[in-house]
Amino acid sequence: MIFLPEVELIVLGDVQGVGYRQYVTKIGRRLRLKGFVENLNDGTVRIHCKGDEKDISEFKKQINMKKPEAAPLIDVEDIQERQLDPGTIKQTFFEEVYGDERAEMSQGFSTGMKYMILF
């Protein structure tokens, strides 16, 4: 049986409350990866992704962003990577994982206000 690579990425920087999860999800789906992206309590973002090596490599390039034009509040400082055991990732597509409903709603409003002020 052939196993696709599975990796965990921990993203540090200004990556919460700036639309980063949505951006990562869009890229993951476009590259047909499987896995998820979620905010962690320490201010980082965790990503699990599974796919062809070339697609994962392209994914890592595209998510390593410093104030891109489309989302200038995103500022990735570092991405830490570790290999996961085969079969760890159960998702059949790439998805965004949400936390507490009230916290997510508050963060969404805050993110929207930050971009309104910026533009």
Side-chain angles (χ1 to χ4, degrees):
M1 183 174 215
I2 298 173
F3 290 102
L4 294 172
E6 299 185 33
V7 298
E8 176 181 73
L9 306 170
I10 302 295
V11 185
L12 295 84
D14 290 331
V15 291
Q16 288 194 18
V18 292
Y20 187 67
R21 283 181 298 171
Q22 293 81 5
Y23 185 82
V24 168
T25 300
K26 183 177 179 179
I27 295 168
R29 288 180 178 173
R30 188 170 13 127
L31 292 172
R32 294 187 175 91
L33 297 176
K34 296 172 179 43
F36 65 86
V37 56
E38 69 178 337
N39 285 346
L40 298 179
N41 290 336
D42 64 0
T44 63
V45 169
R46 175 175 34 211
I47 301 167
H48 279 192
C49 61
K50 171 178 162 178
D52 292 330
E53 285 185 41
K54 71 175 185 68
D55 292 333
I56 290 176
S57 178
E58 180 62 26
F59 177 74
K60 290 187 295 188
K61 284 182 206 170
Q62 290 188 34
I63 66 167
N64 192 2
M65 308 173 350
K66 296 207 181 295
K67 302 186 184 298
E69 187 175 321
L73 296 175
I74 296 172
D75 189 6
V76 173
E77 292 175 9
D78 189 33
I79 299 177
Q80 301 169 351
E81 179 178 347
R82 76 177 179 97
Q83 296 298 311
L84 297 172
D85 292 332
T88 299
I89 297 174
K90 306 296 185 203
Q91 285 78 9
T92 57
F93 61 97
F94 200 90
E95 63 186 10
E96 186 176 340
V97 174
Y98 297 100
D100 173 73
E101 214 173 271
R102 281 188 260 172
E104 289 288 345
M105 187 176 293
S106 174
Q107 186 178 64
F109 285 131
S110 174
T111 301
M113 287 303 296
K114 287 177 191 174
Y115 278 103
M116 285 177 64
I117 292 167
L118 181 67
F119 294 116

